[in-house]
Amino acid sequence: MLSSCRHKDKQETIYQFRNKLLSETVDQEVNSLKVDTSVKAHKITLPKDLDAVFKLSSVIEEVSYLKLGEVPDDLMTDMVPKIRSHGDKYFLLDDKKGGVYVFDDSGTFQYSKLGTGDGPAEFLKASTFALDIFHDELAIFDDKLSKILYYSMDGTFLREKFIGFRLEDFDFLTDSTIAVTLGKTYNDHLPEIRNNQLAIVDREWKVIATGGAYNADKERGVYFTGQTLRRFSGQLSYFQPFTSTIYEIVCDSLLYPRYELDFGQLALPEDLDFSMGLDKFLKKYKSPEFAFMVSNGLELENTILFNVNHNGRLSYIFYDKNSNGTVYGAKYINDIGALGFFNPTHQIAEKDILISVISSEVVASIDKRDINEFDLPGNLIELFEETEASDNPVLLFYKLKAIETF
């Protein structure tokens, strides 16, 4: 989730966008995203023993899987940082292949979008993607070519749009605006956004508002690569790296604070020097004395999962929105037959389901004689029987349950 700043030649960046007119990239008047201070975030106090051990059965009700089917003349990797579901389809970004693969809810392959070139209607590598739920479109971003390519949900190419700045991720806020995570990218050719990690753009990709302020001259030494944008119940939330508050993006000019994690004495210092570089940062802050969020929370209908770095480990914090109960720890006891592969990266919010991506090679490597030791449900036994090392990855679904409080 952390990396050192990616150094790029500023001249190269300017050259990349030399043909993009400023009037096409930045609105005449760029608004600042304001935080509505009359809205108080729901404060969640972190437990002190984040290195605790918890049972998966305390948060998971059921485990199932989806075996991704064959892709003609191709094979996916398990490097899947982004999954989105829409209707009966799952959209997966294969970071190593630099493409987007689409399967239906039975695991049958539908189509893929892979890099083919730098010409019209082509891209070199899919850096990220988003689903425009307002217009039923798939949008793929190629950072190398600085353009967005639009497709219908069935994969038909529609149009492309060159943009005048670099970005990390994006999602569609309304039918006319898009939220864009800029991260600590090199946008020094645009003073209007160079010191911001969040922007709102219109459908022509013109910047109309900015937020997530930082000092680009001093704060690029430590870089954050976790998810900052999440969608839940039709709303889009934003988490600025190395802070403790999650905001709802209300419109192109307003943020509502929704959740605040109270780290207490484990909190990072407010005047943290991000110019120190990654090695020094890790040496000082990946310790028992500090903790920080490494991604926006995975919010479900009844539960939120927060991933927190503490003492050099990833700690899971499950928070029940109804009971205010928590289950947490850096280690878990696999008492539900989850195969030990609990590493959720996506959610199906309305169904209270978390998703992990598992390599078929890993599944196939488990000795079939040891399956009984897992006390697996029937559907997972079938998974072992059907999976070969050369198959596409498997999605594991974890149905969450209410957290009991005592």
Side-chain angles (χ1 to χ4, degrees):
M1 297 298 179
L2 298 171
S3 65
S4 56
C5 186
R6 292 171 287 183
H7 298 284
K8 288 186 177 291
D9 189 328
K10 293 183 181 180
Q11 292 301 319
E12 178 185 343
T13 301
I14 295 172
Y15 178 82
Q16 184 178 14
F17 307 116
R18 70 193 187 283
N19 294 324
K20 193 70 178 176
L21 296 177
L22 183 62
S23 61
E24 297 175 344
T25 302
V26 180
D27 202 10
Q28 288 183 343
E29 183 177 347
V30 177
N31 296 318
S32 295
L33 282 159
K34 304 295 184 182
V35 176
D36 189 336
T37 55
S38 68
V39 178
K40 301 300 180 183
H42 184 82
K43 184 172 288 188
I44 301 171
T45 301
L46 263 68
K48 296 180 180 179
D49 52 340
L50 290 174
D51 290 336
V53 178
F54 67 96
K55 293 182 178 181
L56 287 181
S57 63
S58 62
V59 290
I60 296 175
E61 181 178 285
E62 182 183 3
V63 185
S64 58
Y65 73 93
L66 179 66
K67 185 173 167 57
L68 300 179
E70 293 186 8
V71 177
D73 302 319
D74 196 7
L75 182 67
M76 289 183 61
T77 74
D78 62 340
M79 296 178 63
V80 182
K82 191 169 189 177
I83 305 173
R84 293 292 182 266
S85 58
H86 182 70
D88 64 347
K89 294 184 176 64
Y90 291 96
F91 299 76
L92 296 87
L93 174 67
D94 187 323
D95 196 43
K96 188 171 183 179
K97 289 292 189 71
V100 175
Y101 293 80
V102 184
F103 298 84
D104 68 16
D105 54 13
S106 68
T108 302
F109 174 72
Q110 301 297 298
Y111 64 90
S112 62
K113 295 299 174 184
L114 302 171
T116 56
D118 58 2
E122 293 182 323
F123 64 87
L124 295 173
K125 180 180 180 181
S127 303
T128 188
F129 76 94
L131 301 181
D132 183 351
I133 60 175
F134 305 98
H135 300 89
D136 279 335
E137 294 178 353
L138 162 66
I140 294 177
F141 171 61
D142 183 338
D143 182 61
K144 294 182 180 296
L145 299 178
S146 301
K147 70 176 177 178
I148 306 284
L149 297 94
Y150 292 87
Y151 305 87
S152 66
M153 288 296 188
D154 63 6
T156 302
F157 175 77
L158 300 174
R159 63 191 181 282
E160 62 183 29
K161 180 71 177 179
F162 286 90
I163 64 175
F165 53 89
R166 302 190 65 234
L167 62 93
E168 292 295 315
D169 201 4
F170 67 103
D171 205 337
F172 291 85
L173 179 60
T174 68
D175 61 355
S176 59
T177 56
I178 305 163
V180 181
T181 298
L182 302 171
K184 294 181 178 179
T185 48
Y186 279 81
N187 284 311
D188 295 342
H189 62 298
L190 292 176
E192 293 85 355
I193 67 172
R194 73 180 298 266
N195 291 302
N196 295 97
Q197 297 188 65
L198 176 67
I200 307 298
V201 304
D202 62 19
R203 290 190 65 83
E204 295 301 313
W205 286 83
K206 179 184 290 188
V207 177
I208 57 178
T210 57
Y214 82 108
N215 189 322
D217 291 324
K218 298 180 179 179
E219 298 186 27
R220 283 176 173 159
V222 180
Y223 200 87
F224 179 97
T225 58
Q227 287 278 326
T228 59
L229 295 172
R230 298 281 194 196
R231 183 173 293 280
F232 168 73
S233 188
Q235 303 298 315
L236 201 59
S237 68
Y238 171 69
F239 163 66
Q240 183 172 347
F242 302 108
T243 65
S244 57
T245 303
I246 294 173
Y247 296 91
E248 177 185 331
I249 308 176
V250 181
C251 59
D252 60 12
S253 60
L254 193 63
L255 299 173
Y256 283 172
R258 295 197 66 224
Y259 298 101
E260 178 185 350
L261 266 65
D262 182 1
F263 285 89
Q265 294 182 343
L266 296 177
L268 294 172
E270 293 183 4
D271 58 347
L272 194 152
D273 179 13
F274 288 104
S275 66
M276 67 175 62
L278 181 63
D279 292 340
K280 290 184 178 180
F281 176 89
L282 296 180
K283 183 177 181 180
K284 188 170 184 178
Y285 297 113
K286 289 187 73 172
S287 69
E289 288 78 31
F290 297 98
F292 52 90
M293 278 197 288
V294 298
S295 189
N296 197 338
L298 284 161
E299 184 169 4
L300 308 173
E301 193 67 34
N302 300 306
T303 311
I304 309 175
L305 170 59
F306 299 99
N307 292 327
V308 172
N309 190 299
H310 176 251
N311 200 18
R313 301 190 187 98
L314 180 65
S315 291
Y316 300 98
I317 302 171
F318 295 86
Y319 175 77
D320 191 303
K321 295 188 289 185
N322 299 312
S323 68
N324 295 325
T326 57
V327 170
Y328 55 88
K331 299 179 182 178
Y332 55 82
I333 297 173
N334 178 20
D335 61 338
I336 58 170
L339 310 182
F341 298 144
F342 186 72
N343 183 30
T345 57
H346 179 58
Q347 84 276 41
I348 305 177
E350 66 278 5
K351 296 182 180 180
D352 269 331
I353 288 177
L354 296 171
I355 304 178
S356 287
V357 180
I358 311 300
S359 165
S360 288
E361 186 176 5
V362 172
V363 176
S365 68
I366 296 179
D367 195 321
K368 302 297 188 293
R369 294 171 297 181
D370 297 332
I371 292 178
N372 291 334
E373 295 184 11
F374 288 105
D375 190 25
L376 300 179
N379 62 352
L380 291 182
I381 294 177
E382 294 175 3
L383 172 64
F384 279 104
E385 295 173 346
E386 297 173 356
T387 302
E388 301 293 336
S390 58
D391 290 345
N392 275 316
V394 174
L395 304 184
L396 278 185
F397 299 115
Y398 309 97
K399 172 72 173 178
L400 299 192
K401 64 183 182 181
I403 295 175
E404 298 180 6
T405 56
F406 302 94

